[in-house]
mmCIF file of all heavy atoms in Angstrom:
data_model
loop_
_atom_site.group_PDB
_atom_site.id
_atom_site.type_symbol
_atom_site.label_atom_id
_atom_site.label_comp_id
_atom_site.label_asym_id
_atom_site.label_seq_id
_atom_site.Cartn_x
_atom_site.Cartn_y
_atom_site.Cartn_z
ATOM 1 N N PHE A 348 -99.304 -54.661 184.847
ATOM 2 C CA PHE A 348 -99.099 -54.964 183.438
ATOM 3 C C PHE A 348 -98.646 -53.730 182.672
ATOM 4 O O PHE A 348 -97.660 -53.772 181.930
ATOM 5 C CB PHE A 348 -100.388 -55.533 182.828
ATOM 6 C CG PHE A 348 -100.232 -56.008 181.425
ATOM 7 C CD1 PHE A 348 -99.910 -57.331 181.154
ATOM 8 C CD2 PHE A 348 -100.402 -55.136 180.351
ATOM 9 C CE1 PHE A 348 -99.759 -57.779 179.848
ATOM 10 C CE2 PHE A 348 -100.261 -55.576 179.044
ATOM 11 C CZ PHE A 348 -99.931 -56.900 178.797
ATOM 12 N N THR A 349 -99.351 -52.614 182.843
ATOM 13 C CA THR A 349 -99.008 -51.401 182.088
ATOM 14 C C THR A 349 -97.639 -50.855 182.488
ATOM 15 O O THR A 349 -96.912 -50.336 181.636
ATOM 16 C CB THR A 349 -100.078 -50.310 182.259
ATOM 17 O OG1 THR A 349 -100.291 -50.083 183.659
ATOM 18 C CG2 THR A 349 -101.380 -50.717 181.602
ATOM 19 N N GLU A 350 -97.283 -50.984 183.755
ATOM 20 C CA GLU A 350 -95.955 -50.541 184.192
ATOM 21 C C GLU A 350 -94.873 -51.398 183.534
ATOM 22 O O GLU A 350 -93.852 -50.874 183.074
ATOM 23 C CB GLU A 350 -95.834 -50.647 185.713
ATOM 24 C CG GLU A 350 -96.731 -49.691 186.469
ATOM 25 C CD GLU A 350 -96.767 -49.971 187.959
ATOM 26 O OE1 GLU A 350 -96.661 -51.143 188.367
ATOM 27 O OE2 GLU A 350 -96.920 -48.992 188.719
ATOM 28 N N LEU A 351 -95.122 -52.680 183.487
ATOM 29 C CA LEU A 351 -94.168 -53.588 182.866
ATOM 30 C C LEU A 351 -94.049 -53.305 181.372
ATOM 31 O O LEU A 351 -92.953 -53.290 180.808
ATOM 32 C CB LEU A 351 -94.589 -55.034 183.117
ATOM 33 C CG LEU A 351 -93.628 -56.132 182.687
ATOM 34 C CD1 LEU A 351 -92.224 -55.906 183.226
ATOM 35 C CD2 LEU A 351 -94.159 -57.478 183.130
ATOM 36 N N GLN A 352 -95.169 -53.022 180.741
ATOM 37 C CA GLN A 352 -95.144 -52.710 179.311
ATOM 38 C C GLN A 352 -94.341 -51.433 179.048
ATOM 39 O O GLN A 352 -93.603 -51.353 178.061
ATOM 40 C CB GLN A 352 -96.569 -52.574 178.778
ATOM 41 C CG GLN A 352 -96.641 -52.565 177.268
ATOM 42 C CD GLN A 352 -98.061 -52.682 176.746
ATOM 43 O OE1 GLN A 352 -99.021 -52.338 177.428
ATOM 44 N NE2 GLN A 352 -98.193 -53.164 175.526
ATOM 45 N N ARG A 353 -94.445 -50.458 179.929
ATOM 46 C CA ARG A 353 -93.646 -49.231 179.783
ATOM 47 C C ARG A 353 -92.151 -49.515 179.942
ATOM 48 O O ARG A 353 -91.315 -48.847 179.342
ATOM 49 C CB ARG A 353 -94.078 -48.182 180.807
ATOM 50 C CG ARG A 353 -95.229 -47.329 180.346
ATOM 51 C CD ARG A 353 -95.398 -46.082 181.207
ATOM 52 N NE ARG A 353 -95.659 -46.382 182.603
ATOM 53 C CZ ARG A 353 -96.874 -46.559 183.137
ATOM 54 N NH1 ARG A 353 -97.937 -46.467 182.375
ATOM 55 N NH2 ARG A 353 -97.014 -46.819 184.416
ATOM 56 N N GLU A 354 -91.821 -50.511 180.770
ATOM 57 C CA GLU A 354 -90.417 -50.873 180.985
ATOM 58 C C GLU A 354 -89.812 -51.596 179.779
ATOM 59 O O GLU A 354 -88.597 -51.726 179.694
ATOM 60 C CB GLU A 354 -90.284 -51.775 182.221
ATOM 61 C CG GLU A 354 -90.573 -51.101 183.537
ATOM 62 C CD GLU A 354 -89.498 -50.105 183.923
ATOM 63 O OE1 GLU A 354 -88.308 -50.401 183.704
ATOM 64 O OE2 GLU A 354 -89.857 -49.026 184.427
ATOM 65 N N LEU A 355 -90.679 -52.070 178.880
ATOM 66 C CA LEU A 355 -90.228 -52.847 177.724
ATOM 67 C C LEU A 355 -90.684 -52.171 176.433
ATOM 68 O O LEU A 355 -91.589 -52.655 175.749
ATOM 69 C CB LEU A 355 -90.779 -54.278 177.804
ATOM 70 C CG LEU A 355 -90.446 -55.048 179.079
ATOM 71 C CD1 LEU A 355 -91.206 -56.361 179.130
ATOM 72 C CD2 LEU A 355 -88.954 -55.273 179.190
ATOM 73 N N PRO A 356 -90.072 -51.045 176.071
ATOM 74 C CA PRO A 356 -90.494 -50.336 174.868
ATOM 75 C C PRO A 356 -90.448 -51.242 173.641
ATOM 76 O O PRO A 356 -89.490 -51.981 173.447
ATOM 77 C CB PRO A 356 -89.482 -49.199 174.735
ATOM 78 C CG PRO A 356 -88.790 -49.100 176.043
ATOM 79 C CD PRO A 356 -88.917 -50.436 176.700
ATOM 80 N N GLY A 357 -91.517 -51.198 172.867
ATOM 81 C CA GLY A 357 -91.573 -51.970 171.645
ATOM 82 C C GLY A 357 -92.333 -53.278 171.765
ATOM 83 O O GLY A 357 -92.655 -53.898 170.756
ATOM 84 N N ILE A 358 -92.626 -53.720 172.979
ATOM 85 C CA ILE A 358 -93.359 -54.970 173.137
ATOM 86 C C ILE A 358 -94.853 -54.697 172.966
ATOM 87 O O ILE A 358 -95.377 -53.704 173.475
ATOM 88 C CB ILE A 358 -93.070 -55.661 174.489
ATOM 89 C CG1 ILE A 358 -93.602 -57.100 174.486
ATOM 90 C CG2 ILE A 358 -93.632 -54.867 175.650
ATOM 91 C CD1 ILE A 358 -93.134 -57.943 175.661
ATOM 92 N N SER A 359 -95.515 -55.562 172.236
ATOM 93 C CA SER A 359 -96.962 -55.409 172.058
ATOM 94 C C SER A 359 -97.695 -55.988 173.255
ATOM 95 O O SER A 359 -97.139 -56.785 174.026
ATOM 96 C CB SER A 359 -97.417 -56.135 170.783
ATOM 97 O OG SER A 359 -97.300 -57.536 170.955
ATOM 98 N N HIS A 360 -98.935 -55.605 173.410
ATOM 99 C CA HIS A 360 -99.785 -56.124 174.483
ATOM 100 C C HIS A 360 -99.860 -57.654 174.383
ATOM 101 O O HIS A 360 -99.693 -58.373 175.379
ATOM 102 C CB HIS A 360 -101.177 -55.489 174.380
ATOM 103 C CG HIS A 360 -102.088 -55.831 175.500
ATOM 104 N ND1 HIS A 360 -102.777 -57.021 175.561
ATOM 105 C CD2 HIS A 360 -102.426 -55.133 176.603
ATOM 106 C CE1 HIS A 360 -103.503 -57.049 176.658
ATOM 107 N NE2 HIS A 360 -103.316 -55.908 177.315
ATOM 108 N N LYS A 361 -100.078 -58.135 173.170
ATOM 109 C CA LYS A 361 -100.198 -59.580 172.943
ATOM 110 C C LYS A 361 -98.905 -60.311 173.308
ATOM 111 O O LYS A 361 -98.928 -61.354 173.965
ATOM 112 C CB LYS A 361 -100.563 -59.854 171.482
ATOM 113 C CG LYS A 361 -100.676 -61.319 171.141
ATOM 114 C CD LYS A 361 -101.013 -61.515 169.671
ATOM 115 C CE LYS A 361 -101.043 -62.992 169.308
ATOM 116 N NZ LYS A 361 -101.339 -63.196 167.895
ATOM 117 N N MET A 362 -97.763 -59.779 172.890
ATOM 118 C CA MET A 362 -96.487 -60.440 173.162
ATOM 119 C C MET A 362 -96.160 -60.424 174.649
ATOM 120 O O MET A 362 -95.652 -61.412 175.189
ATOM 121 C CB MET A 362 -95.363 -59.784 172.359
ATOM 122 C CG MET A 362 -94.031 -60.489 172.498
ATOM 123 S SD MET A 362 -94.065 -62.264 172.117
ATOM 124 C CE MET A 362 -94.506 -62.256 170.413
#
Side-chain angles (χ1 to χ4, degrees):
F348 186 92
T349 53
E350 293 170 327
L351 187 51
Q352 193 170 24
R353 274 195 300 271
E354 292 290 320
L355 304 172
I358 193 169
S359 69
H360 186 280
K361 179 181 177 181
M362 185 54 63

